[in-house]
């Protein structure tokens, strides 16, 4: 995962269920979400809600709720599609993703 390289995502539904990776991705795209390092896994719904709210502020409406993500009920393709839509709105030319995958990592 080039947006949150310190997160080892091996099971998309399970690894995103505490919201830290999802919110961390939004943070790296310039979103109003805290960084991955500052989030608590015990605050799953709040973490996910922050990420979804930022996506909505860009005009991307999720087809699922924070509760559904937290409980692992959302198919991986639905989450991947949502992230791709947010990324396309936030970083249409891919500059942020390329910059991060080439060695730059935000520690805040």
């Amino acid at each position: 995962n080039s947006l949150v390289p310190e997160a080892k995502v091996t099971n998309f539904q399970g690894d995103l269920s505490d919201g830290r990776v999802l919110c961390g991705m939004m943070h790296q795209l310039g979103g109003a979400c805290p960084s991955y390092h500052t989030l608590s896994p015990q605050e799953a719904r709040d973490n996910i809600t922050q990420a979804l709210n930022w996506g909505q502020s860009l005009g991307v409406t999720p087809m699922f709720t924070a509760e559904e993500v937290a409980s692992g009920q959302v198919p991986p393709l639905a989450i991947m599609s949502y992230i791709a839509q947010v990324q396309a709105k936030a970083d249409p030319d891919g500059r942020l993703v390329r910059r991060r995958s080439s060695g730059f990592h935000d520690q805040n």
Side-chain angles (χ1 to χ4, degrees):
N1 174 339
S2 64
L3 287 174
V4 188
E6 60 274 25
K8 305 292 186 238
V9 178
T10 58
N11 173 337
F12 218 71
Q13 284 172 303
D15 293 339
L16 276 94
S17 66
D18 70 10
R20 293 182 306 149
V21 172
L22 187 59
C23 210
M25 288 178 181
M26 301 306 164
H27 173 81
Q28 294 290 59
L29 289 169
C33 286
S35 71
Y36 174 85
H37 301 290
T38 64
L39 298 168
S40 167
Q42 289 75 32
E43 307 274 333
R45 287 195 176 103
D46 289 341
N47 298 339
I48 298 164
T49 297
Q50 287 183 70
L52 298 181
N53 285 345
W54 186 67
Q56 285 186 310
S57 76
L58 294 174
V60 181
T61 303
M63 302 305 286
F64 43 80
T65 66
E67 291 79 18
E68 290 169 333
V69 175
S71 65
Q73 296 176 0
V74 181
L77 287 177
I79 296 173
M80 286 187 260
S81 174
Y82 176 75
I83 293 168
Q85 290 175 52
V86 171
Q87 183 176 343
K89 292 276 190 168
D91 187 25
D93 59 5
R95 288 179 303 140
L96 292 171
V97 174
R98 280 194 303 278
R99 184 171 152 206
R100 281 168 176 74
S101 64
S102 67
F104 172 81
H105 302 298
D106 182 12
Q107 296 297 316
N108 296 318

